Amino acid sequence: MRGVLFGSVRGPAGPRGGGLRRGTVAALAAGSLVLTAGCSSADGSGSTAGAGRTPSAASASPTAPDRPASPSASPALPPVKGSVKVVSTLTEGLESPWGLAELPDGDLLVSSRDKGTITRIDAKTGGKTLLGAVPGVSPAGEGGLLGIAVSPTYGADHMVYAYFTTESDNRIARMQYDENGTTPGRLLGAPDTILRGIPKGSIHNGGRIAFGPDHMLYAGTGETGDDGLAQDKKSLAGKILRMTPDGQPLHGNPEADSVVYSYGHRNVQGLAWDGQKQLWASEFGQDTRDELNRIVPGGNYGWPEAEGRAGKKGFIDPVAQWKTSEASPSGIAFAKGSIWMAGLRGERLWRIPLSGNGAKEPLAAPQSFLRGKYGRLRTVLAAGGDKLWLVTSNTDTRGTPKPGDDRILVLAVR
């Protein structure tokens, strides 16, 4: 286990999901794309220039365990314009939902940031079963029980992974889920911490975890409001991490003795892989631009020296970017050739069609859907084919809850 000192927090959480912004940061130069909208369910608004389903035991294809997956042949391109239809509401009455993961049988697990609990959702009826609380969770500000993931070998080990805030740090632990247990609320075993010492703060805790096509565990972290940690390769803050299911570094990582996979991030809350097994991540900006980034091993994504497209030597520019009022992105997923990105402050779902082959810009301008209809949107997860699950986030003290909030919606997309 690796312990790392965490930096100080600069102030209380701001009004958007990503926390405070520095008013003194100058606006960065950026190109823009004009959106010509008009598909069903679209709101017609555009962005400035611009996870297939997270692999599970049933869907992931193993690759060499010591290196990231390599892109495959170019897929067919998605349509320039897409559409979104809300098929149904799977369940309602969730409190501060954050993470979402699919079990092999299609049921869902959802975490509550503030209650520190994990609940199973029946994928057919929407019925809820409380599995239990995760010991050691210390909710405060943007911290608490955040991302969850199901082991790629769940059929053999029944392990559920969680990223959460404690009184001293953020950490990742795994727990065995006793599906044959008979006492609701006591179906999770004691947590086995696989990685500790991720810096914590009242803001910018990152928190998304997911298993990649290589069956390795990835985690997005935040810089806790201490900008300098993002560029410090010895810190786990402001990074994307890659590790074995036991929390150990891989020889395929940029540095063999480190779980750090990429750095220079402000607050990563979305991870997904496209059809070519390429990793994508969403990131909160501060005053000017939120980002969607194509992640390469060892890449430096610029924070705090760059926010959005800066064109600075040594930094990787985002593939797409938005005004912070339009996005404040959290979860992302890949489906039907596009990345789908949930927006908190922006209260909309973004579609970013991909052109493949490592392109540095989308196939077309991103489209937004569902603007303002369901409030803040936290997490999106591929459900197979043209379906997505979408989780609202109105009971996290930042939103305005309506009757039924929070909820999981079933979407049909193209």
Side-chain angles (χ1 to χ4, degrees):
M1 309 298 177
R2 289 158 297 284
V4 183
L5 294 177
F6 57 88
S8 60
V9 178
R10 296 187 174 180
R16 69 187 297 256
L20 292 176
R21 302 179 180 281
R22 285 184 318 208
T24 58
V25 177
L28 298 175
S32 65
L33 292 175
V34 179
L35 173 65
T36 54
C39 295
S40 63
S41 299
D43 62 25
S45 62
S47 76
T48 56
R53 140 185 310 185
T54 299
S56 65
S59 64
S61 299
T63 58
D66 61 346
R67 66 184 64 185
S70 299
S72 56
S74 298
L77 296 179
V80 170
K81 295 182 180 179
S83 65
V84 169
K85 178 182 179 182
V86 178
V87 176
S88 63
T89 297
L90 176 60
T91 196
E92 296 183 335
L94 300 173
E95 183 175 337
S96 63
W98 209 100
L100 189 70
E102 183 189 8
L103 291 166
D105 67 358
D107 283 358
L108 301 174
L109 300 180
V110 60
S111 63
S112 169
R113 186 194 71 181
D114 297 339
K115 294 179 68 176
T117 57
I118 296 177
T119 298
R120 180 170 182 156
I121 309 297
D122 188 298
K124 295 180 180 179
T125 68
K128 299 188 282 278
T129 301
L130 178 65
L131 304 193
V134 178
V137 174
S138 179
E142 295 174 6
L145 179 56
L146 304 175
I148 55 176
V150 171
S151 167
T153 54
Y154 180 85
D157 58 35
H158 280 220
M159 287 292 182
V160 175
Y161 287 70
Y163 181 115
F164 57 95
T165 310
T166 73
E167 291 186 355
S168 61
D169 63 0
N170 285 303
R171 61 184 61 178
I172 301 172
R174 57 187 175 187
M175 298 151 286
Q176 191 168 56
Y177 170 22
D178 179 11
E179 290 198 43
N180 296 317
T182 59
T183 306
R186 297 184 180 180
L187 303 179
L188 294 175
D192 169 26
T193 299
I194 65 166
L195 184 69
R196 67 179 74 241
I198 303 171
K200 62 164 282 188
S202 63
I203 59 174
H204 304 179
N205 289 287
R208 194 70 62 183
I209 58 174
F211 281 95
D214 54 2
H215 286 198
M216 298 297 109
L217 182 63
Y218 294 72
T221 73
E223 35 78 304
T224 74
D226 186 342
D227 294 351
L229 296 181
Q231 291 292 324
D232 181 358
K233 293 184 182 180
K234 295 181 180 180
S235 171
L236 299 181
K239 310 292 188 296
I240 292 176
L241 312 177
R242 176 176 179 258
M243 68 201 80
T244 70
D246 296 324
Q248 299 301 310
L250 291 141
H251 291 298
N253 284 358
E255 296 182 17
D257 61 347
S258 173
V259 296
V260 172
Y261 193 65
S262 64
Y263 66 109
H265 298 288
R266 184 171 182 267
N267 192 19
V268 175
Q269 288 191 9
L271 300 171
W273 288 262
D274 64 22
Q276 297 178 284
K277 302 180 182 179
Q278 168 63 53
L279 176 60
W280 296 82
S282 62
E283 181 169 345
F284 287 92
Q286 182 167 258
D287 292 308
T288 53
R289 302 297 181 201
D290 293 323
E291 303 176 357
L292 177 69
N293 286 299
R294 178 179 178 272
I295 303 302
V296 297
N300 183 347
Y301 289 82
W303 182 254
E305 302 301 322
E307 180 184 356
R309 286 179 170 158
K312 292 186 177 182
K313 185 177 180 180
F315 300 147
I316 299 175
D317 281 344
V319 170
Q321 62 182 19
W322 292 262
K323 293 179 180 178
T324 53
S325 61
E326 296 177 330
S328 297
S330 189
I332 62 173
F334 175 78
K336 305 301 289 183
S338 297
I339 293 291
W340 300 85
M341 187 178 80
L344 291 165
R345 182 183 173 193
E347 296 189 351
R348 66 198 82 175
L349 179 69
W350 285 98
R351 174 187 183 262
I352 306 96
L354 302 182
S355 54
N357 296 321
K360 295 183 179 180
E361 59 184 25
L363 175 68
Q367 286 177 274
S368 68
F369 300 88
L370 309 178
R371 181 177 180 180
K373 292 184 178 180
Y374 296 95
R376 291 158 54 85
L377 305 179
R378 171 68 68 180
T379 298
V380 59
L381 184 68
D386 66 345
K387 297 295 191 295
L388 295 174
W389 288 295
L390 180 65
V391 183
T392 66
S393 186
N394 298 309
T395 59
D396 66 347
T397 74
R398 302 279 181 89
T400 303
K402 297 178 181 179
D405 278 335
D406 274 308
R407 63 197 77 208
I408 300 176
L409 305 173
V410 181
L411 310 181
V413 302
R414 76 168 183 88

